[in-house]
Amino acid sequence: MAQTYGSYNTGDPAGSRDPWSADDSDEEKTADSFTTDDSASFNSNEQPVPLPTTAASKPHTWKDWSTFTILCFINLLNYIDRYSVSGVLEDVQKFYDIDDAMAGLLQTVFIATFIVISPICGYLGDRYNRKWVMVVGIFIWVAAVFSSTFIPKEAFWAFMLCRSIVGIGEASYAVICPSLIAGEDNDAFEYSTIHSDMFHGVLRSRMLMVFYFAIPVGSGLGYVVSALVAGLTGQWQWGIRVTAIAGVICFILIIVFVEERPRGQMEVRNTDQLAGLKEGYWKDLVALAKNATFVTSTLGYTAVVFVTGTLAWWVPSAIEYAEASNQGLNSTAELGDEGTK
């Protein structure tokens, strides 16, 4: 009799077939799911073999939760920094005497660097120690942010260069970190030779939800923190510098507490499939390019990010212009004097 997992009938005595995937033969079985032979298995008293629970039953240690907390905090800080410049953009424009086109270029060079470096970091993360790839990236990010706050007003190009380098650090973290959180425990499968990262099953989805929740929260805090700190100190540089200071703390935490974990390759069930992971990088890219779901989802998400990213970058400036217009002022620079009018 074919081995049964839950409501899935594998039909493979060797158990080497993935019960979670579907192919053409599965569709044919679904269409004929109520034939005489199949219905007999539904009417019998035989109880289905429960799904493996080895992964879900493993308790999570304090290292798992502390690592997850650190990774979420760094992700939050990343997005605070990304929009910290936007929170003080008017001050940056006045300091460097640049127009809106050059101000918009600050975010453009950052995104361009992020796009170019992300696949490289993905390649390194698949083949080398992910912790140290992130450590190097965070170091570059902190150094670039901190350096950008000391650029004199005559060297706007240097400030723009530093902001582009920030994209290197963010790419290394944003690409690699989710793989540390979202591993899959394959110990439950007889022919598996690899282990998981941190979280599995439903808990894995929930942890990724919390991790990515840092994107909107961090983006909003970026405006608030940079503008508030700049107002308290009287210098816009401190509005940006504060994230670099917090980044030093993250840099230390990730070195001390975060560990490289055994890789839980998704959907891998046996050594034959694992050997296929050692294909060339270009073959990986070709395979992704042929994946219609991946391509269309990426294009759709790119369109969304283009619109929301542009809106997020210019909203603080747009609000200042609107407020100045409502008050009948000739410049947003006069907004600070409204209390004396």
Side-chain angles (χ1 to χ4, degrees), residues 194-335:
I194 53 182
H195 304 278
S196 66
D197 291 342
M198 280 197 291
F199 300 103
H200 330 275
V202 176
L203 185 59
R204 174 180 55 195
S205 300
R206 292 171 181 170
M207 294 302 101
L208 284 176
M209 175 193 69
V210 174
F211 176 78
Y212 286 116
F213 190 67
I215 295 178
V217 175
S219 300
L221 287 176
Y223 306 130
V224 176
V225 171
S226 62
L228 180 62
V229 174
L232 291 175
T233 60
Q235 294 183 315
W236 65 264
Q237 288 89 341
W238 277 105
I240 299 175
R241 195 176 297 156
V242 65
T243 58
I245 296 174
V248 174
I249 299 174
C250 294
F251 180 76
I252 297 173
L253 289 175
I254 198 171
I255 291 177
V256 176
F257 293 104
V258 176
E259 298 178 352
E260 173 70 0
R261 295 170 181 255
R263 299 168 189 266
Q265 302 288 357
M266 302 284 290
E267 308 301 335
V268 175
R269 298 290 183 250
N270 53 53
T271 53
D272 292 336
Q273 289 176 303
L274 184 60
L277 295 175
K278 298 181 180 179
E279 298 288 347
Y281 187 55
W282 289 111
K283 290 186 178 180
D284 295 343
L285 295 179
V286 171
L288 286 176
K290 293 180 179 179
N291 188 319
T293 301
F294 172 80
V295 172
T296 54
S297 298
T298 300
L299 292 175
Y301 186 68
T302 300
V304 172
V305 171
F306 177 82
V307 175
T308 57
T310 303
L311 181 65
W313 182 255
W314 288 110
V315 157
S317 297
I319 292 175
E320 288 190 1
Y321 280 115
E323 183 64 22
S325 176
N326 290 336
Q327 296 184 28
L329 304 178
N330 295 322
S331 171
T332 57
E334 300 178 23
L335 285 173

Side-chain angles (χ1 to χ4, degrees), residues 2-146:
Q3 187 178 5
T4 304
Y5 288 90
S7 61
Y8 290 88
N9 190 328
T10 65
D12 187 354
S16 60
R17 188 169 171 275
D18 185 355
W20 303 107
S21 63
D23 54 21
D24 294 337
S25 62
D26 289 330
E27 295 176 0
E28 294 175 2
K29 288 182 180 180
T30 302
D32 301 326
S33 59
F34 291 97
T35 60
T36 303
D37 293 338
D38 290 334
S39 61
S41 63
F42 282 94
N43 296 327
S44 67
N45 294 325
E46 179 184 357
Q47 296 296 323
V49 178
L51 291 172
T53 58
T54 303
S57 62
K58 285 186 177 180
H60 294 288
T61 65
W62 69 270
K63 286 187 176 181
D64 293 331
W65 295 110
S66 62
T67 298
F68 175 73
T69 302
I70 293 170
L71 296 179
C72 287
F73 179 65
I74 299 175
N75 195 37
L76 179 72
L77 192 62
N78 267 334
Y79 280 90
I80 292 176
D81 172 73
R82 181 179 295 193
Y83 291 100
S84 62
V85 175
S86 182
V88 293
L89 189 58
E90 284 287 310
D91 295 324
V92 172
Q93 288 183 263
K94 295 172 187 175
F95 184 80
Y96 289 108
D97 192 22
I98 57 175
D99 56 16
D100 289 344
M102 297 303 293
L105 189 60
L106 285 173
Q107 188 73 344
T108 300
V109 296
F110 163 80
I111 293 296
T113 305
F114 188 88
I115 292 172
V116 173
I117 299 300
S118 289
I120 299 175
C121 290
Y123 176 89
L124 296 175
D126 282 342
R127 290 157 177 81
Y128 301 100
N129 189 299
R130 291 169 293 182
K131 169 184 174 177
W132 292 109
V133 173
M134 288 194 299
V135 166
V136 172
I138 292 174
F139 175 81
I140 294 174
W141 163 55
V142 171
V145 172
F146 200 71

Side-chain angles (χ1 to χ4, degrees), residues 116-184:
V116 173
I117 299 300
S118 289
I120 299 175
C121 290
Y123 176 89
L124 296 175
D126 282 342
R127 290 157 177 81
Y128 301 100
N129 189 299
R130 291 169 293 182
K131 169 184 174 177
W132 292 109
V133 173
M134 288 194 299
V135 166
V136 172
I138 292 174
F139 175 81
I140 294 174
W141 163 55
V142 171
V145 172
F146 200 71
S147 299
S148 68
T149 62
F150 294 98
I151 304 297
K153 60 178 62 179
E154 298 83 10
F156 172 71
W157 63 269
F159 181 80
M160 187 167 58
L161 177 63
C162 288
R163 293 307 303 178
S164 68
I165 294 176
V166 170
I168 298 177
E170 290 206 24
S172 68
Y173 181 81
V175 172
I176 296 174
C177 182
S179 70
L180 285 171
I181 298 174
E184 179 173 345

